[in-house]
Amino acid sequence: MTAGVGSSSLDLGVVGNAAAAALVDRNANIVWMCAPRMDGDPVFCSLLRGEQTGEGAWSVALEDAVSSQQTYLRNTAIIETILTDSDGNRLRITDFAPRFKSAGRIFRPQMIVRLVEPVEGSPRMRMGLQPLYDYGASIPQTTRGSSHIRYLLGEQVLRLTTNAPVEFIERGRPFLVDRAYAFILGPDERLAQGPVSLARDFLEQTRDYWSEWVRYLSVPIDYQEVVIRSAITLKLCSHEETGGIVAALTTSIPEYGSSGRTWDYRFCWLRDSYFTVKALNLLGATKTMEDYLSYVSNIAASSQDGYLQPLFGLGLERRVDEVIVGSLAGYRGFGPVRRGNAAYTQVQNDGYGSVILAITQCFFDERLPTMGGPALYERLELLGRQAVERWDQPDAGIWEFRTRGAIHTHSALMCWAACDRLAKIGARLGLPERAAFWRTHADHIHAGIVSSAWNEELKSFVSAFGGSDLDASLLMIAELGFLPADDKRFLSTLSACENHLRFGNHLYRYRTADDFGEPETAFTACTFWLIDALSRAGRYDDARVVFEDVLAHRNHLGLLSEGLHVESGELWGNFPQTYSMVGLIYAAMHLSRRWEDVL
C-alpha cells in the first residue's frame, strides 16, 4: 500500500475544469487545492506540511486497506481510484471538477465532486475533510446543516453538501458504504437536486465534454495516449476566465531536497505560456490561444511603451511579492515555502518574442472566427520596438538568475524571433513597408548574435555574448528558425551541449554554479529540447531512445514535474509542469509515424 496523507509524493493526478484544480494522491486523498483561484490560498495544503498529518487534506481511508488502483477515465480529466481492504471489500472513488456546455456557455464552477460507491463486499470508510486557510496557519470555523457543512476560510466560504451522515464526516468516524455517497465541495449555495443525482448528472456531462474535446484533437498515430493526457493536463492549467496559464499548479516543491530552490509557479509566465499555446495549437485546440490573446492584449494595453515584466497573476496582477511562509514546513520538510515570485521584478528580454510567437498563428489560421488584423499588429509592434532596443542588453535570462545579469543568447534569439515574425505578419497583412522595416531589424539582430554568441574555440554558440558557458536553451536555435537544422553551427552546438549537459538520456539546463550552487536535477523541458534537436538533425533513433526513457519516468497517471534526479530517477520540482507536458506533445509529434504510412 502506498504511503498515507502525511507522506508526500508526486504520484499525483490532477482534476480540474480550467477554473478549479486539485491534486489527488494514489489513495484518493486531495492533498492540494487553491481557492478561489489556482494562485490563491491553498485550502488543502498537506502536500507542503512535511510529516504533519490530518489537517490540510480531504482524505479517504478504507479500513484495513491493502491496495489501490488508480486511473483516469479514458480521454477525460476524471480520476477513478479503487481501494481494496484485507477482506477483499472494494471501494470506488470518482473525482472530478464539472465542465460541460450549458445554456450556450461552458459551465465550470469552483467545485470538486467526489462520488464514493461500493464495488464489492461491505467496505467501511472514514472521510476527513479538514481544510485550512492563510497558507496552513488557520483552522476554519464550521457550521452544520442537515446535509451540509460550511467552512469559513477567512474571506471565502466553501460548502460541502452530501447525502452521507454529516456527523460522521465532521468527526471523521468510519461508516459502512453500502450505497453511493456524493460529496460536493463548492460555493456556499444550495444544490438544485439531491447530491447523488447531481453528481451522476455532472459526471456524465463532464465525461461527454472531455471525450468530445479529445475527439477533435489532431493527434499522431503513435503515442496517442501520451499526447491526449498531456493536452488535457495543459488545459487544466489554464484559467479560462482571464486567459492566463499557470506554469504549474504548485508552489515550493523543491528542485531537489534541501537545495533551497523552492519557487511559486502558480503564475502566468509569458515564456511558459507561449510553449503551452504552441503545443495546443499543434493539436488544433486553438481556443486556449484565443483566450490567451485576450490576456496578453490586456497586458499590452496597460503598457504604453510595450515594456513587459516576465510574469503576472492570473487576474493580470503585476505585483506578486515573494514572501516566506513560516506556517508550512515544505514538501517532505524541505523548505522554505514561498508565496509569490520575485522574478516579476526582473528584466527578462525574451518575453517580447514569447508573446508575439504565441499570437502569430492567429494572423494565419483561417479556422479562427476572428483573425488578427492591423489593430492587433499595431499593438504587437510596440513589443517589437522593445525587442529592438533590448536584444543586446543584459537581463536575468530564461533561468532567472537573481544576483547577476548578462546579455543572454536565448533572450537575443527571442528578440530576433519577435522581429522575424512581425516581418512575416506584415507581409501577410499586405503591409510591405512594415514587413521590410521588421526584416531589416531581424537581419541586424541575426548578424549580431552570430558575431557575439559564437565561440570559435568551442565551435558552439554559448549562453551569453562573449562567454564560454553552455545552456540547454541553445538547442532551440533550429526550432525558432534562426538557423536551419543542417547548419554546421547548429550541429556543432548540439554536439557541445550533449558533451557538457547530457547525463545518460537526460539534460541539465546548465552545469555551472548559480545563486544556489550547481543544479542537482535534470530539467525535463531541456531533455525535450534535446529530443527536438536530435529529431531535426535526423538522429531519430537517438531521439526515440531519449523519449522512451522520459516516458518511463512519468508517474502512474502519465504526468511529469519540473525535473528529474538522474541518479534516483525520482520526480522533483513543481507539478504538473506545463513545460514538461508540452515537451511530451512536441516529442510525440516529431517521432510518430505518419498516418498515411500506416493506414
Side-chain angles (χ1 to χ4, degrees):
M1 188 67 178
T2 52
V5 177
S7 180
S8 298
S9 164
L10 295 184
D11 283 338
L12 304 170
V14 184
V15 294
N17 58 9
L23 299 184
V24 185
D25 74 9
R26 276 186 179 269
N27 298 323
N29 303 304
I30 292 181
V31 297
W32 184 259
M33 187 180 85
C34 299
R37 295 190 326 207
M38 300 172 195
D39 58 355
D41 195 352
V43 294
F44 296 121
C45 56
S46 64
L47 186 66
L48 296 186
R49 281 173 57 80
E51 294 305 312
Q52 301 176 55
T53 59
E55 294 174 352
W58 187 353
S59 60
V60 176
L62 177 66
E63 289 202 323
D64 300 319
V66 295
S67 69
S68 168
Q69 294 176 297
Q70 190 174 66
T71 186
Y72 276 106
L73 297 187
R74 181 174 178 269
N75 294 351
T76 75
I78 302 165
I79 292 178
E80 180 182 276
T81 310
I82 295 179
L83 303 177
T84 304
D85 69 18
S86 57
D87 293 324
N89 300 304
R90 301 171 73 204
L91 188 70
R92 177 171 56 237
I93 303 100
T94 304
D95 292 317
F96 66 100
R99 180 179 173 87
F100 49 85
K101 295 179 182 178
S102 175
R105 64 183 181 88
I106 296 294
F107 177 68
R108 42 171 169 74
Q110 286 279 338
M111 179 182 290
I112 300 295
V113 178
R114 318 198 76 181
L115 185 61
V116 179
E117 302 167 286
V119 176
E120 187 173 347
S122 302
R124 281 171 53 82
M125 177 189 79
R126 186 195 307 269
M127 175 169 282
L129 201 159
Q130 298 177 301
L132 299 172
Y133 69 99
D134 193 18
Y135 282 76
S138 301
I139 299 173
Q141 294 181 342
T142 62
T143 59
R144 274 180 53 176
S146 59
S147 62
H148 73 267
I149 306 173
R150 298 171 70 247
Y151 299 88
L152 283 66
L153 298 150
E155 296 181 356
Q156 62 178 320
V157 179
L158 293 178
R159 177 194 288 240
L160 174 74
T161 305
T162 181
N163 63 316
V166 173
E167 174 79 12
F168 295 165
I169 306 307
E170 188 174 43
R171 300 189 182 280
R173 291 181 175 163
F175 60 96
L176 180 68
V177 182
D178 56 356
R179 70 196 75 175
Y181 289 110
F183 304 86
I184 300 172
L185 183 69
D188 187 22
E189 301 169 355
R190 293 176 178 268
L191 300 184
Q193 60 194 97
V196 172
S197 175
L198 186 69
R200 285 181 168 156
D201 179 36
F202 281 5
L203 175 60
E204 181 179 0
Q205 293 190 74
T206 299
R207 186 170 189 169
D208 289 346
Y209 169 84
W210 286 113
S211 295
E212 187 74 0
W213 188 79
V214 167
R215 182 181 176 189
Y216 291 101
L217 295 179
S218 301
V219 299
I221 194 165
D222 299 318
Y223 310 112
Q224 290 187 25
E225 187 177 352
V226 172
V227 170
I228 290 169
R229 180 53 48 209
S230 299
I232 291 174
T233 305
L234 292 179
K235 186 67 176 174
L236 300 184
C237 290
S238 68
H239 183 65
E240 208 164 60
E241 182 180 356
T242 63
I245 305 167
V246 297
L249 292 172
T250 59
T251 177
S252 305
I253 308 297
E255 291 183 17
Y256 181 67
S258 58
S259 64
R261 303 172 189 267
T262 53
W263 315 116
D264 193 345
Y265 278 9
R266 301 170 300 153
F267 305 109
C268 184
W269 268 260
L270 302 179
R271 177 190 314 117
D272 299 53
S273 299
Y274 153 61
F275 286 105
T276 297
V277 167
K278 181 181 176 183
L280 291 175
N281 284 352
L282 191 62
L283 303 177
T286 56
K287 182 63 166 62
T288 301
M289 174 182 65
E290 297 176 68
D291 293 337
Y292 183 64
L293 172 58
S294 174
Y295 183 85
V296 295
S297 293
N298 276 297
I299 289 172
S302 62
S303 176
Q304 293 184 352
D305 62 357
Y307 171 74
L308 295 176
Q309 64 187 57
L311 65 124
F312 297 82
L314 290 176
L316 302 172
E317 294 87 357
R318 292 179 174 271
R319 290 184 63 103
V320 287
D321 293 329
E322 186 173 305
V323 177
I324 300 297
V325 177
S327 50
L328 293 172
Y331 178 78
R332 300 187 184 177
F334 294 123
V337 171
R338 290 181 167 91
R339 170 187 181 180
N341 198 308
Y344 85 89
T345 65
Q346 293 182 348
V347 173
Q348 296 179 27
N349 293 329
D350 62 319
Y352 307 99
S354 296
V355 170
I356 292 171
L357 263 63
I359 294 174
T360 294
Q361 183 168 328
C362 79
F363 291 93
F364 294 84
D365 195 336
E366 294 285 353
R367 298 171 299 174
L368 301 178
T370 303
M371 296 180 63
L376 176 59
Y377 183 60
E378 188 174 332
R379 290 200 295 272
L380 294 184
E381 285 192 294
L382 277 176
L383 308 185
R385 292 190 184 100
Q386 288 284 343
V388 169
E389 294 177 7
R390 294 174 176 275
W391 73 272
D392 60 351
Q393 298 302 305
D395 72 347
I398 185 174
W399 309 121
E400 302 183 339
F401 296 117
R402 294 198 164 201
T403 59
R404 64 176 190 252
I407 304 173
H408 289 102
T409 302
H410 177 263
S411 297
L413 285 168
M414 295 300 286
C415 288
W416 167 83
C419 297
D420 176 76
R421 276 31 169 212
L422 286 172
K424 291 176 179 177
I425 297 169
R428 168 74 173 183
L429 295 177
L431 302 171
E433 291 184 0
R434 303 312 300 161
F437 174 85
W438 291 111
R439 180 54 56 203
T440 297
H441 281 297
D443 290 345
H444 173 70
I445 296 173
H446 194 287
I449 293 172
V450 170
S451 173
S452 300
W454 176 259
N455 185 306
E456 182 61 27
E457 182 179 350
L458 295 175
K459 299 296 182 186
S460 175
F461 286 96
V462 288
S463 300
F465 284 14
S468 58
D469 293 330
L470 302 177
D471 81 276
S473 69
L474 299 169
L475 296 177
M476 288 191 283
I477 286 174
E479 178 188 345
L480 291 171
F482 185 81
L483 292 176
D486 60 357
D487 188 288
K488 292 182 179 179
R489 291 166 295 182
F490 171 69
L491 295 175
S492 181
T493 299
L494 168 58
S495 178
C497 286
E498 286 191 273
N499 290 334
H500 288 80
L501 304 177
R502 185 169 175 177
F503 187 102
N505 290 319
H506 302 274
L507 209 72
Y508 286 83
R509 56 187 184 272
Y510 48 84
R511 294 308 303 266
T512 53
D514 60 16
D515 312 332
F516 294 82
E518 292 187 16
E520 297 179 78
T521 52
F523 201 73
T524 301
C526 299
T527 303
F528 284 119
W529 297 342
L530 173 63
I531 293 170
D532 179 270
L534 292 172
S535 301
R536 292 177 187 274
R539 294 170 54 187
Y540 292 103
D541 290 342
D542 291 344
R544 286 191 182 90
V545 168
V546 176
F547 187 40
E548 293 294 339
D549 200 339
V550 176
L551 292 179
H553 285 93
R554 294 174 299 159
N555 75 8
H556 65 296
L557 292 175
L559 307 184
L560 287 168
S561 65
E562 178 185 41
L564 180 81
H565 189 253
V566 292
E567 294 177 351
S568 68
E570 189 174 20
L571 297 178
W572 284 87
N574 281 306
F575 179 93
Q577 182 77 8
T578 54
Y579 254 149
S580 301
M581 305 310 295
V582 161
L584 287 169
I585 294 173
Y586 287 171
M589 298 296 276
H590 275 306
L591 298 176
S592 174
R593 296 166 296 171
R594 299 182 301 172
W595 284 91
E596 56 267 33
D597 292 338
V598 179
L599 303 182

